[in-house]
């Protein structure tokens, strides 16, 4: 077998070495256009997981790397004039140049033909002459460009500018510096990689970059390999208090923008992409070198396991793609957090540090408690001492200490106090008859309320018969319906102090459909199925198979507004504590708000203010009849997940307008506005939008969407991303979800009271083999690794005391 490798970076060299190790008779040739001792960049960081793989795959490479590792376990967050330290993380770093030397030597020992200072022949020639071509030619891959029709790349160039530098200041830990200056905010990602130097990456948003004066320097023409020395000197001045007299070291260092690389496919015939050519992940979460070396291991293994190249390449992509996409999702969250870091610079330092550490959603509240319990407790204590939190706890006669998990702290929602931060999302049950809720609604809402949340919302309740999404949807427009709802609220209030709310809506162009089929589709009702005419913001059907609504007239709008206010009055008389208006998900009000569904040319269409006009008229009318001591929520779709739809600026300004018109909080959902949406699903995928609204406006928000663990709820609340968390499917799966979350965390306080008839089940039942007592099997006990390890130059990393008793270093 003949294998050609384009690019002699770590990924290409490691693949070549592993392949030659597994198949010594194969001919493996690497083309590298630079000299063997040329290198760009400084240090490379590895995770324990990646190092375990290297140790198993090639002990010689691992031993050589380990001999030169810088190791530490602390992360320092420098912000607001303080340094806060979290331990227990575990890092190993190595100079990129040293890593290349190790891999070059290994390739030489194994007989790999590495051709330095030699550009690879055209890829089509290599593909014709070799059995396999591995394109490890970097983020600007010529191979990827040559076969773009097959790879179908998506190159997402981001907004911030960054510069990769080194410094002769040796940091003792992974250090995040967030510096506020008169021109804006910039951040530094720094870490040591040997006894003399550290990597030092400066990142700054475009507007601040211009105001700081960097644009003038960057506009100059630089020869290949030259660095922007003027910008580097200015960075030294701006960050002098963090460099302590040390200098910044350039290496082909200029301002660039990060590009996230994604490809629909990683292979074309016998050509395959590896490393940055196939994918990139923002440097704030890890190392591109790490991903490339993991690719190399997987590709070499798949070639060894599969007799034919096509099968091996398919197996390689099937194995690696889920891993890479998971990493990219976390990296995207981290990237966006740093792009918008100024959104958080008003936070108290402890909360800011926690927010930064949990930004990717891979590190969580529980995870940090395991790593460094004292740090997490210090953050929780500061959170509990914040004025709003302390006042709410005092009003609820609840303990305000750090032992109370964040999700079990009370919250003042408008004129209403909730005992905890868990909201059960409005769930469509499709079991009503003529809009009248029956026994199933009673059982469902009662079970949810008894399960411990602070608030339960009844779902998708129509304000009129023609506003129902399906014939099975409940309504609140007749006396019979009002009485049926009162039966529900009276039972719940007799049994629990959980607050009960109801979501009111007019489904607009999404009305008159059948109940969802197993595949999730909701075909429109035909005339023979008791369908009804549709009215919406514009005469635009949901999709090609749907009924076209008529555009609402002024008379229609007046009637719909009256229907909303009448339903709100009925909700009050029925005994509901909270009212939510559905202004998202493609329903009537959402149809007015989105530029994709509002095609009107009158005063209610066009710009954002016009699109807001009717929804605000309805909200003001509802607020006028809804009691001040009861809470009023509005759910929005903060993103349409489609080009030209609602964006971040729209979500912020819409939320501001809703709050000014009387909303006590915004329930921040996304999507379901157009049928051709392309949402990026994932764990707590909508939380960034609640974060956007809350931290841009100060308006209380509810995070919703794929939130299913109490750990995520605690993380979201403690980081300040939202004030409340709506749990939907997880609470349907387990109606006692909140009570079980309390039991799992050992919480027995007033925020999670067990109903007296169920109190016997309040403890966690024993599981299989929980009665087994393990014998001692160690003659000498191994001391646990210290939580705090620092990198001390010219010495083995040692445990160092943290200056503050609560294990939060303040310098």
């Amino acid at each position: 077998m003949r294998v050609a490798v384009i690019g002699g970076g770590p990924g290409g060299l490691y693949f070549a070495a592993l392949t030659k190790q597994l198949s010594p008779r194969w001919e493996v040739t690497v083309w590298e256009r630079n000299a063997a001792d040329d290198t760009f960049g400084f240090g490379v960081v590895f995770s324990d997981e990646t190092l375990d793989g290297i140790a198993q795959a090639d002990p010689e490479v691992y031993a050589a790397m380990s001999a030169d590792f810088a190791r530490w376990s602390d992360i320092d967050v420098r912000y607001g004039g303080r340094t806060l330290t979290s331990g227990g993380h575990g890092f190993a770093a190595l100079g990129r140049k040293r890593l290349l030397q190790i891999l070059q030597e290994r390739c030489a020992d194994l007989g790999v033909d590495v051709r330095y200072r030699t550009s690879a022949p055209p890829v089509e020639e290599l593909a014709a002459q070799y059995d396999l071509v591995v394109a490890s030619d970097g983020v600007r891959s010529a191979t990827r460009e040559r076969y773009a029709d097959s790879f179908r790349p998506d190159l997402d160039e981001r907004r911030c500018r960054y510069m990769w530098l080194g410094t002769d200041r040796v940091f003792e830990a992974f250090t995040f510096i967030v510096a506020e200056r008169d021109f804006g905010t910039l951040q530094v990602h720094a870490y040591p990689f040997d006894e003399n130097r550290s990597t030092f990456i400066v990142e700054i948003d475009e507007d601040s970059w211009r105001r700081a004066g960097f644009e003038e320097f960057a506009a100059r023409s630089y020869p290949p390999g030259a660095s922007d020395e003027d910008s580097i000197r200015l960075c030294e001045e701006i960050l002098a208090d963090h460099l302590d007299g040390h200098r910044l070291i350039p290496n082909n260092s200029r301002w660039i923008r990060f590009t996230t690389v994604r490809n629909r496919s990683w292979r074309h015939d016998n050509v395959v992409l590896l490393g940055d050519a196939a994918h990139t992940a923002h440097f704030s979460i890890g190392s591109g070198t790490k991903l490339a070396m993991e690719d190399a291991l997987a590709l070499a293994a798949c070639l060894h396991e599969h007799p034919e190249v096509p099968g091996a390449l398919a197996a390689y992509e099937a194995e690696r793609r889920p891993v890479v996409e998971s990493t990219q999702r976390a990296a995207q969250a981290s990237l966006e957090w740093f792009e918008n870091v100024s959104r958080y610079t008003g936070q108290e330092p402890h909360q800011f540090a926690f927010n930064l550490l949990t930004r990717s959603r891979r590190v969580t509240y529980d995870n940090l408690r395991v790593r460094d319990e004292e740090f997490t407790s210090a953050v929780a204590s500061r959170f509990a001492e914040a004025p709003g939190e302390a006042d709410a706890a005092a009003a609820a006669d609840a303990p305000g200490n750090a032992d109370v998990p964040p999700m079990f702290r009370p919250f003042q929602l408008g004129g209403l106090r909730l005992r905890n931060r868990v909201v059960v999302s409005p769930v469509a049950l499709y079991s009503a008859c003529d809009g009248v809720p029956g026994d199933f609604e009673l059982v469902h809402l009662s079970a949810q309320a008894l399960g411990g949340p602070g608030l339960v919302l009844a779902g998708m309740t129509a304000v009129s018969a023609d506003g129902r999404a399906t014939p099975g949807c409940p309504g609140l427009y007749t006396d019979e319906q009002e009485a049926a709802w009162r039966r529900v609220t009276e039972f719940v209030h007799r049994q629990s102090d959980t607050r009960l709310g109801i979501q009111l809506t007019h489904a607009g162009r999404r009305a008159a459909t059948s109940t969802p089929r197993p595949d999730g589709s909701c075909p429109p009702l035909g005339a023979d199925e008791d369908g009804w005419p549709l009215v919406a913001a514009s005469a635009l059907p949901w999709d090609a198979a749907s009924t076209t609504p008529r555009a609402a007239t002024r008379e229609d709008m007046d009637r719909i507004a009256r229907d909303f206010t009448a339903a709100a009055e009925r909700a009050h008389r029925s005994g509901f504590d909270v009212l939510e208006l559905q202004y998202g998900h493609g329903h009537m009000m959402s149809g007015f708000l989105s530029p994709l569904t509002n095609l009107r040319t009158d005063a209610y269409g066009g710009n954002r203010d016009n699109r807001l006009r009717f929804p605000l008229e309805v909200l003001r009318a509802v607020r006028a009849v809804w009691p001040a001591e009861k809470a009023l929520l509005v759910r929005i779709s903060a993103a349409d997940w489609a080009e030209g739809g609602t964006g971040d600026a729209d979500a912020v300004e819409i939320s501001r307008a809703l709050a000014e018109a009387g909303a006590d909080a915004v329930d921040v959902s996304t999507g379901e506005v157009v049928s051709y949406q392309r949402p990026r699903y994932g764990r707590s995928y909508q939380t960034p939008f609640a974060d956007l609204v809350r931290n841009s406006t100060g308006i209380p928000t509810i995070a919703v969407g794929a939130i299913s663990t109490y750990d995520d709820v605690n993380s979201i609340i403690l980081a300040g991303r939202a004030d409340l968390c709506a749990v939907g499917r997880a609470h349907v799966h387990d109606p006692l979800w909140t009570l079980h979350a309390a039991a799992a965390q050992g919480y027995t306080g007033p925020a999670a009271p067990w109903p007296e008839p169920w109190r016997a089940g309040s403890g966690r039942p024993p599981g299989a083999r929980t009665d087994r007592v393990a014998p001692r099997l160690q003659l000498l006990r191994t001391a646990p690794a210290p939580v705090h390890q620092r990198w001390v130059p010219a010495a083995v990393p040692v445990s160092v005391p943290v200056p503050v008793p609560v294990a939060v270093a303040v310098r």
Side-chain angles (χ1 to χ4, degrees):
M1 182 122 162
R2 302 184 73 216
V3 179
V5 180
I6 305 174
L13 291 175
Y14 189 47
F15 165 77
L18 292 176
T19 300
K20 194 70 171 173
Q21 178 181 304
L22 289 172
S23 304
R25 296 178 60 189
W26 287 11
E27 177 187 328
V28 182
T29 306
V30 180
W31 280 267
E32 171 52 51
R33 63 184 180 181
N34 294 308
D37 56 354
D38 287 345
T39 186
F40 301 101
F42 294 92
V44 179
V45 180
F46 292 96
S47 67
D48 291 340
E49 182 181 55
T50 303
L51 292 177
D52 288 345
I54 294 173
Q56 188 276 334
D58 195 326
E60 290 190 34
V61 167
Y62 177 77
M65 291 171 62
S66 296
D68 291 313
F69 273 144
R71 292 184 180 271
W72 69 95
S73 68
D74 281 356
I75 296 177
D76 289 348
V77 179
R78 297 185 172 201
Y79 161 74
R82 308 180 72 176
T83 299
L84 306 181
T85 297
S86 171
H89 297 273
F91 296 96
L94 185 69
R96 180 179 170 86
K97 187 169 186 176
R98 177 58 185 141
L99 175 61
L100 285 172
Q101 290 172 344
I102 292 169
L103 295 173
Q104 289 165 358
E105 291 167 4
R106 184 61 172 150
C107 283
D109 291 344
L110 292 167
V112 175
D113 179 7
V114 184
R115 302 177 183 180
Y116 299 106
R117 295 185 181 274
T118 306
S119 294
V123 65
E124 56 269 24
E125 292 183 15
L126 292 176
Q129 298 170 12
Y130 287 79
D131 300 293
L132 173 66
V133 179
V134 178
S136 182
D137 50 349
V139 68
R140 296 178 180 82
S141 169
T143 306
R144 187 183 63 227
E145 184 177 351
R146 173 66 180 81
Y147 295 121
D149 289 345
S150 294
F151 296 127
R152 289 169 289 169
D154 174 15
L155 308 181
D156 180 15
E157 187 176 77
R158 303 303 300 186
R159 302 195 308 265
C160 285
R161 304 271 186 156
Y162 75 99
M163 184 182 291
W164 206 290
L165 297 160
T167 177
D168 56 1
R169 170 163 188 187
V170 182
F171 289 91
E172 295 182 358
F174 204 116
T175 303
F176 291 103
I177 300 168
V178 178
E180 296 176 86
R181 299 292 186 260
D182 57 356
F183 55 79
T185 304
L186 79 166
Q187 56 264 12
V188 173
H189 313 252
Y191 55 88
F193 62 87
D194 64 24
E195 61 270 17
N196 300 309
R197 293 167 298 167
S198 300
T199 295
F200 196 89
I201 308 168
V202 181
E203 186 179 28
I204 184 171
D205 70 89
E206 181 81 11
D207 291 339
S208 299
W209 180 80
R210 293 178 188 276
R211 288 192 294 266
F214 291 117
E215 183 179 22
E216 176 188 350
F217 306 140
R220 298 171 183 168
S221 179
Y222 295 93
S227 297
D228 181 352
E229 297 287 352
D230 290 319
S231 286
I232 294 167
R233 299 291 81 77
L234 183 53
C235 285
E236 285 181 334
E237 293 176 19
I238 293 170
L239 296 163
D241 53 336
H242 297 285
L243 289 168
D244 290 345
H246 292 268
R247 64 190 178 98
L248 293 177
I249 304 169
N251 183 346
N252 193 31
S253 302
R254 304 178 203 171
W255 292 110
I256 54 178
R257 291 188 178 95
F258 185 82
T259 298
T260 299
V261 175
R262 301 179 180 90
N263 287 277
R264 294 288 296 275
S265 174
W266 295 355
R267 59 194 194 276
H268 167 80
D269 294 336
N270 65 334
V271 179
V272 66
L273 302 178
L274 184 146
D276 284 354
H279 48 72
T280 59
H282 192 251
F283 50 80
S284 61
I285 196 176
S287 164
T289 300
K290 165 190 174 298
L291 286 175
M293 293 182 70
E294 291 175 353
D295 282 356
L297 188 153
L299 180 56
C302 289
L303 287 166
H304 184 68
E305 294 165 354
H306 296 266
E308 302 294 334
V309 168
L313 299 189
Y316 157 69
E317 184 168 352
E319 178 180 320
R320 283 296 293 163
R321 182 176 286 279
V323 176
V324 168
E325 289 180 348
S326 174
T327 300
Q328 286 188 314
R329 284 193 296 271
Q332 187 73 15
S334 179
L335 176 156
E336 292 175 357
W337 193 93
F338 280 110
E339 282 184 337
N340 299 290
V341 68
S342 59
R343 189 184 296 164
Y344 310 109
T345 50
Q347 288 187 325
E348 188 274 332
H350 292 78
Q351 186 177 51
F352 181 89
F354 180 85
N355 194 353
L356 184 152
L357 292 171
T358 59
R359 67 196 180 279
S360 72
R361 303 194 287 277
R362 281 191 164 184
V363 176
T364 62
Y365 173 77
D366 269 4
N367 184 265
L368 278 178
R369 286 183 66 195
V370 171
R371 295 170 188 258
D372 188 344
E373 185 172 6
E374 291 185 73
F375 168 80
T376 311
S377 294
V379 175
S381 293
R382 292 302 182 99
F383 181 76
E385 294 165 4
E389 295 297 326
D391 294 345
D397 194 26
N401 57 54
D403 294 333
V404 177
M407 66 183 290
F408 291 117
R409 297 192 180 282
F411 183 72
Q412 191 69 29
L413 181 62
L416 201 67
R417 189 175 64 250
L418 304 182
R419 67 171 179 239
N420 63 48
R421 305 301 182 96
V422 180
V423 177
V424 175
S425 297
V427 176
L429 302 175
Y430 307 110
S431 59
C433 181
D434 294 326
V436 179
D439 290 345
F440 199 89
E441 283 83 359
L442 172 65
V443 171
H444 167 74
L445 293 170
S446 300
Q448 300 298 328
L450 291 171
L455 170 64
V456 175
L457 292 171
M460 211 158 73
T461 304
V463 299
S464 61
D466 67 347
R468 291 173 297 159
T470 75
C473 290
L476 193 45
Y477 48 86
T478 70
D479 292 344
E480 184 182 6
Q481 293 162 358
E482 182 180 326
W485 282 120
R486 189 179 304 112
R487 172 177 173 242
V488 173
T489 63
E490 288 177 349
F491 179 84
V492 169
H493 288 148
R494 282 198 305 270
Q495 303 298 328
S496 167
D497 65 350
T498 297
R499 304 297 189 175
L500 198 58
I502 189 168
Q503 183 191 75
L504 299 181
T505 190
H506 187 297
R509 68 178 186 148
R510 301 197 68 181
T513 65
S514 63
T515 55
R517 294 176 175 177
D519 64 358
S521 63
C522 302
L525 296 173
D528 58 340
E529 298 176 285
D530 296 324
W532 54 87
L534 307 187
V535 61
S538 299
L540 191 67
W542 172 253
D543 58 23
S546 298
T547 305
T548 300
R550 74 173 192 277
T553 64
R554 180 67 258 184
E555 290 74 20
D556 290 325
M557 293 158 67
D558 289 341
R559 174 179 59 82
I560 291 167
R562 288 194 300 270
D563 289 341
F564 268 95
T565 54
E569 290 174 320
R570 288 183 181 276
H572 172 52
R573 292 196 298 267
S574 296
F576 285 101
D577 308 296
V578 176
L579 190 66
E580 177 172 276
L581 304 183
Q582 172 61 289
Y583 277 24
H585 295 183
H587 285 218
M588 176 66 77
M589 297 303 158
S590 171
F592 276 89
L593 290 173
S594 172
L596 298 179
T597 54
N598 186 336
L599 308 182
R600 301 176 72 98
T601 57
D602 60 6
Y604 294 91
N607 63 45
R608 185 171 58 223
D609 289 343
N610 283 358
R611 299 196 309 273
L612 267 163
R613 194 182 306 274
F614 181 54
L616 291 179
E617 289 176 0
V618 172
L619 175 56
R620 293 189 187 103
V622 169
R623 180 77 270 185
V625 301
W626 186 249
E629 67 273 13
K630 293 187 174 185
L632 178 57
L633 315 176
V634 180
R635 171 171 280 199
I636 66 169
S637 287
D640 293 345
W641 299 114
E643 186 175 354
T646 299
D648 287 359
D650 293 314
V652 168
E653 294 308 317
I654 287 170
S655 298
R656 280 200 177 103
L658 296 174
E660 290 171 1
D664 293 311
V666 180
D667 187 353
V668 188
S669 187
T670 66
E672 298 187 51
V673 175
V674 292
S675 60
Y676 51 88
Q677 66 174 3
R678 301 218 26 211
R680 294 195 297 267
Y681 292 120
R683 182 174 127 251
S684 61
Y685 72 105
Q686 295 179 149
T687 298
F689 297 95
D691 183 340
L692 165 71
V693 172
R694 183 184 190 273
N695 288 294
S696 297
T697 66
I699 299 166
T701 61
I702 303 173
V704 62
I707 300 171
S708 58
T709 70
Y710 64 78
D711 190 19
D712 282 335
V713 174
N714 283 326
S715 300
I716 291 166
I717 300 303
L718 190 55
R721 298 184 184 113
D723 300 280
L724 300 167
C725 286
V727 179
R729 295 183 182 185
H731 230 290
V732 173
H733 175 76
D734 175 11
L736 302 189
W737 185 93
T738 304
L739 293 179
H740 289 156
Q745 296 173 84
Y747 174 76
T748 58
W754 279 77
E756 195 57 40
W758 291 349
R759 185 166 296 281
S762 61
R764 297 186 72 178
R769 294 174 61 84
T770 54
D771 58 341
R772 178 179 181 271
V773 179
R776 175 172 178 158
L777 299 175
Q778 290 180 320
L779 178 61
L780 299 176
R781 297 189 190 276
T782 302
V787 172
H788 296 283
Q789 288 184 297
R790 315 286 286 183
W791 172 244
V792 180
V796 176
V798 298
S799 173
V800 297
V802 179
V804 175
V806 294
V808 178
V810 180
R811 300 187 183 87

